[in-house]
Amino acid sequence: YRSVVIYYFVLPALRKAMSLGTAPFLLFIQCVVLLWCMVGAIEATEFEFKSFDSLLPSEFAIVQYDSRKLSNYWLISALWNKNYAQSHGHKYLYYRSDECYHPNDKNVQLATPWCKVKSMVTATNEFPDVKVFIYMDSDAVISKSFQNTSLVEYMKFIEKKVSWKVNEKPIIFNQDAPCWWCNLIQEKGYSTCLNSGTLAWVRHPISIQVLTAWWDSVLDPYDTNPLKR
């Protein structure tokens, strides 16, 4: 996209702007910057997953969120995961906020667990160059036993282990172990008990739709929630 834009639009317009003087030239530069960003967004949106091996290490990212300041245990876990990510050439995205609001209802402060959903949506929007995201709660760390295994190899292993058809289901959640939450889920008629403490998604219209719907569901009335206790 960008090479086509440069050859057919930018270069001819540049010659014309330079011939007209300083003001038109500066305006032209501003337009080029805007166009460059727009084309980059289009390229990111139109990303088509082929294989994890076809991606660069920098196109993988670990995302974490916490409402507390980085200190003591929380600092150690974050730094461990950050060091792991950087050692393999991955990105590490850490989000922190004391309070969280949905843009469509800024009068209601949300419970902090909702803020991690916001961080997932934010990370996806703010880093269009990242194609694979792994979210981990702030109390989760990459095991020392696997510190030499990149996210590329992790995702390939998961893909093979569960026969993951990435383009059909580009977002996956952790299956929770037996607990009160799973008991509640089964009582309500659901068959699958999920844990949102760790999940992964590949940049794809479906995964973006799921994350957006999840974030927007905070606006749903609690009284109609089948899991209300």
Side-chain angles (χ1 to χ4, degrees), residues 44-221:
T45 303
E46 295 190 352
F47 164 71
E48 180 180 355
F49 176 82
K50 296 180 180 178
S51 70
F52 291 112
D53 277 329
S54 67
L55 301 176
L56 299 172
S58 60
E59 294 178 305
F60 291 74
I62 291 178
V63 183
Q64 292 195 280
Y65 164 83
D66 202 285
S67 60
R68 294 158 289 199
K69 294 181 179 180
L70 283 173
S71 61
N72 301 325
Y73 170 77
W74 309 112
L75 175 62
I76 294 174
S77 63
L79 289 179
W80 177 272
N81 292 329
K82 180 180 180 180
N83 180 70
Y84 162 82
Q86 293 182 339
S87 69
H88 291 285
H90 308 317
K91 288 184 173 61
Y92 178 77
L93 313 176
Y94 187 89
Y95 293 90
R96 177 192 172 273
S97 62
D98 295 322
E99 52 188 31
C100 185
Y101 301 88
H102 192 282
N104 292 340
D105 191 353
K106 297 182 179 180
N107 295 321
V108 178
Q109 182 174 334
L110 304 175
T112 51
W114 278 106
C115 301
K116 73 179 185 181
V117 184
K118 180 182 179 181
S119 72
M120 299 176 202
V121 175
T122 302
T124 306
N125 292 333
E126 289 186 343
F127 294 88
D129 56 320
V130 175
K131 304 302 186 294
V132 181
F133 299 83
I134 293 86
Y135 175 84
M136 301 166 57
D137 275 348
S138 58
D139 60 349
V141 296
I142 298 292
S143 171
K144 187 176 181 180
S145 302
F146 298 98
Q147 63 180 346
N148 294 323
T149 303
S150 70
L151 291 180
V152 181
E153 297 303 318
Y154 264 121
M155 301 309 291
K156 286 169 56 181
F157 172 79
I158 294 174
E159 182 182 24
K160 181 179 180 181
K161 186 71 174 179
V162 300
S163 300
W164 183 16
K165 297 181 179 179
V166 179
N167 281 311
E168 294 182 13
K169 299 180 179 180
I171 182 169
I172 54 174
F173 288 78
N174 180 30
Q175 173 70 52
D176 212 344
C179 60
W180 69 268
W181 167 248
C182 289
N183 293 336
L184 175 63
I185 290 293
Q186 292 173 353
E187 290 175 2
K188 298 298 181 179
Y190 295 95
S191 59
T192 304
C193 178
L194 303 178
N195 185 326
S196 64
T198 54
L199 63 140
W201 66 98
V202 173
R203 182 176 294 281
H204 189 282
I206 294 177
S207 58
I208 294 175
Q209 182 181 12
V210 170
L211 292 174
T212 302
W214 185 10
W215 173 228
D216 288 342
S217 70
V218 71
L219 301 174
D220 294 345

